[in-house]
């Protein structure tokens, strides 16, 4: 498959739009570092909001159905007390996987082991488990 061959990838031209996007990302990363130094509590709160909104959106796409109070309870607790159904189990696993990523992103290279770990975390509350 050519798309993963390093020699093939080295010959591809880099479009200007991609260069602009990478430049913008670098700029935002610098701004984030400044915020982390001056206002860490704001970033912690924004991270919590991002995790909740991501879980809510993903749940809707996957047709995971839980009521608003149940959703809030599951997202609020670090460990869900025995989810009552598959929807709750998937939501709790998603919450844990997002928290793991947010806490350890710098130390999580995209390797097979990391993918297995994330899958195990995602599926930890379901009967099928994960990570195999």
């Amino acid at each position: 498959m050519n798309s993963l061959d390093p020699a093939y990838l080295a010959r591809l031209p880099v479009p200007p739009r991609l260069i602009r996007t990478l430049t913008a990302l670098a700029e935002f990363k610098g701004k984030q570092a400044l915020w982390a130094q001056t206002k860490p509590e704001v970033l912690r709160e924004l991270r919590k909001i991002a995790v909740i909104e991501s879980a809510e959106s993903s749940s809707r796409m996957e047709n995971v159905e839980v009521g608003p109070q149940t959703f809030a309870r599951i997202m609020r607790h670090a460990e869900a007390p025995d989810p009552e159904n598959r929807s709750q189990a998937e939501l709790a696993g998603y919450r844990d996987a997002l928290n793991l990523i947010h806490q350890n992103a710098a130390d999580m290279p995209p390797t097979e082991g990391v993918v297995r770990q994330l899958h195990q975390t995602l599926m930890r509350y379901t009967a099928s488990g994960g990570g195999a």
Side-chain angles (χ1 to χ4, degrees):
M1 175 183 293
N2 277 341
S3 62
L4 298 178
D5 178 37
Y8 173 79
L9 293 173
R11 290 190 308 269
L12 289 176
V14 180
R17 183 174 179 197
L18 178 58
I19 293 171
R20 285 192 303 272
T21 301
L22 292 173
T23 302
L25 286 172
E27 181 181 337
F28 289 128
K29 186 175 182 181
K31 289 179 181 179
Q32 180 182 350
L34 180 62
W35 272 87
Q37 291 174 357
T38 59
K39 305 247 185 209
E41 67 282 354
V42 172
L43 284 181
R44 277 192 297 275
E45 192 60 31
L46 287 173
R47 182 176 292 136
K48 286 180 190 175
I49 292 168
V51 166
I52 289 170
E53 288 186 5
S54 176
E56 189 174 21
S57 297
S58 177
S59 296
R60 265 191 309 237
M61 287 189 294
E62 295 290 329
N63 292 321
V64 171
E65 296 182 15
V66 295
Q69 283 115 0
T70 303
F71 178 86
R73 178 181 52 82
I74 291 171
M75 293 306 294
R76 195 173 39 246
H77 296 296
E79 294 291 327
D82 297 327
E84 298 169 13
N85 56 46
R86 183 167 176 88
S87 288
Q88 290 182 19
E90 288 182 9
L91 182 59
Y94 190 79
R95 175 209 58 217
D96 292 352
L98 282 177
N99 285 332
L100 181 65
I101 291 167
H102 281 286
Q103 293 168 3
N104 303 297
D107 300 319
M108 295 178 77
T111 64
E112 180 181 344
V114 169
V115 171
R116 287 180 184 273
Q117 179 185 11
L118 288 171
H119 186 256
Q120 184 177 26
T121 302
L122 277 167
M123 304 303 288
R124 75 166 41 147
Y125 300 105
T126 65
S128 61

